[in-house]
Amino acid sequence: MVGYQKGRIPGPVTPSRCRTEPIIDAELTAEQAHIDHAYACLENARTLAERLTGMVESGRGGTNQARFERDVIAESVSQRLQRLEVGSAALVFGRIDYDEESGDDSFHIGRLAVWDEHHDPVVVDWRAPIAEAFYRATGTVPMGLSRRRQFAVRGRTLLGIEDELFGDLSRLDDEHGRGKLKGEGALIAALETARTGRLGDIVATIQGEQDEIIRAPLPGVMVVQGGPGTGKTVVALHRAAYLLYTHRFPLDGQGVLVVGPNRLFLAYIEQVLPSLGEAGVEVATLGDLLSPSVGLDGLEPQPVARLKGDLVMTDVLRRAVRHRQRALRDDLVVGFGLQRLRLTVAESEWIIGQARRRYRTHNAARRFVLDEVFAHLALSAREETSAHAVAERLRWHPDVRAALEWMWPLLSPAELVHDLYGSKALLRAAGRGLVPDAEIELLHRERSHHRTVVWKLPDAPILDEARALLGFRPGQRDADAVRTYGHIVVDEAQDLSPMELRMLDRRSLNGSMTIVGDIAQATSAWAHDDWEEILEHLPQRREPQRRELTIGYRIPTPLMTLAARALTRAAPDLIPPESIRQGGDAPAVIRAPGEGTLLATAVDAARRELTLIGTGNVSLIVPTALTESVHEALTEAGMEFGLATRSGLNHQLTVVPVGLVKGLEVDSAIVVEPARILVDEAQGARSLYVALTRATKRMTLVHEAPLPDFLSQRTS
């Protein structure tokens, strides 16, 4: 390739051995020595940090100030040790050389910064400003570079180098459409590596359009639209790591939150941020943001999920709270020594009205109501007495307690919503004029004790809205508090309901968010058709940034070509990503030989793929209704496999319901009965498009029913 000088690169890239081979061998030796030196410096840094830990732990006693300082030092050292832990990941993955005009300097780029004993840089952190040229330089805009060198590394061993030379030849490359990819050999080698069941970082092979998103300014909301295989998830996670590095203060104190769609997805991405030295980022589903005492499990039917995600529920809940703020039906009369004290219905109405006007949240007004009840009882006494004396004697009187619970009960979100769902009368009262009676029935369920309820996933924003309306309970501030974050990263945002987006907005400290997803893959009850529908529910403090990832890195062209035909049905206005992997196997299509043989055919296809894929992983992507049947067929066949709902992608063969496959990637995907996915799922065409875009190497369609027309055309 013009403008490139290649060394020995492992994997599918064949090196161009030329007259410079002895020079390249010498370069390999020199670079390996530098890598060895970098690891030695890293070990020395760890030793010093561990020694400081021992000094801090050995100090006992002292003043409160001294103990506080030791705790601060210990926490800082612990965080430093976490950041110095690279495990088996490559520490160094490249080098940049500046030209004479820019100072003729060289810098090695790596996972984290490493210095020698003289405090000279041995490795520059990939997030540092000077490393930007490693990811962004092109032939037309070299950013002062004369050379960019990409390493192929396994553990601590350098296997090969790939040099990109900047100058007239590289500019000619760009003008002819070449040189678009940085470190092409290393990139393709990384893409061809077998999947492990966990998402890996791309820090060594970040491309230009990805780096622009990663390093974009912190303030405001940034929306990233990216089709399958464009790397939007890893870009979002690398952005979180970059922002923490660049804005350590204040983000270390404010916190960074990453929100994923489900626990399977979280398990899939859990290693990325720790591998980048950022173990302190909170990774959660929306349900995890509620109190730990609230159990969430399971989805709702589409009509129920649609209703619970509608902003009309904010008014329903507001009315439900108001209906728990009630004047007495009859006067409260209680004995107090030889006299009887009275709180009239009119006085209770006045107390309720004052509490509503003076307090923003329900529970915050409870103390006011309590004090006013005892004050009015004291005023009704024949002999002068204080409200304090009345409260001391009548606080636990059953009639007084009953009156207070009727007028203004202390409520948790679970109590409020459970009571609401459990009473058709309360539902109709709260929803009158807002929700049709037929939909009110969708919310009703039989009562049980609120502490034993297992809530459905769409209830998470309902409970969160209730918490915002109710506020803190006395003595429960920590449990009822809403944690806010300096930056929030949201993946698969195209599926979030307005209520879920409102829940995220509530947790944004300053309106700084990164929202990623693909409109073509919107499959939920609240599948959106454009990003504007989503942005209107997020912070509006700044004009949002809009970015798009256009290059597909993961999916080979033959597989993307088939998926693109499904895209014409799923989202006809969107253009599929341009795949850089031109080769690869064409998708296989296997039709079951007869009625009732679909499951046996799927099992046979799984055996075949396990043989062909070697050490890679295989997923059977099935319509949700067929999950149990496929599970039983594999069990009867004596095959070893896992269920994604129980063990993620930890097995070489995994059964994945189509509703959970979004965001995952596998070496080989077997899509079972595409026509049923199209019919059964609420967003059938988009769900099928998701299923067809999970494989990085091989894809097989297994069907008994005829394939959808847009797939059967030209499919052999």
Side-chain angles (χ1 to χ4, degrees), residues 323-343:
H323 290 157
R324 304 300 293 272
Q325 303 164 352
R326 301 164 290 194
L328 294 174
R329 292 174 173 176
D330 300 300
D331 290 354
L332 170 65
V333 181
V334 291
F336 185 74
L338 298 177
Q339 56 185 324
R340 297 171 71 81
L341 306 183
R342 181 182 298 272
L343 175 68

Side-chain angles (χ1 to χ4, degrees), residues 219-235:
V221 176
M222 182 169 70
V223 172
V224 181
Q225 161 69 33
T230 56
K232 56 185 176 294
T233 296
V234 285
V235 165

Side-chain angles (χ1 to χ4, degrees), residues 136 209-225 232 235-240 242-243 487-491 493 511-517 531 534-535 538-539 542-549:
R136 296 276 193 92
E209 71 170 7
Q210 297 173 329
D211 191 65
E212 288 181 13
I213 294 169
I214 291 170
R215 296 176 191 266
L218 171 67
V221 176
M222 182 169 70
V223 172
V224 181
Q225 161 69 33
K232 56 185 176 294
V235 165
L237 294 172
H238 284 65
R239 173 163 169 76
Y242 169 79
L243 291 176
H487 190 78
I488 301 176
V489 175
V490 186
D491 205 349
S512 178
M513 306 175 82
T514 300
I515 308 297
V516 303
W531 287 105
I534 296 169
L535 284 169
L538 294 177
R542 291 173 178 263
E543 182 68 22
Q545 304 176 62
R546 293 174 174 82
R547 305 293 175 91
E548 184 173 4
L549 292 166

Side-chain angles (χ1 to χ4, degrees), residues 563-582:
R565 301 217 296 269
L567 181 62
T568 62
R569 177 73 65 89
D573 294 334
L574 293 181
I575 299 173
E578 176 189 353
S579 178
I580 66 166
R581 300 175 64 192
Q582 298 301 312

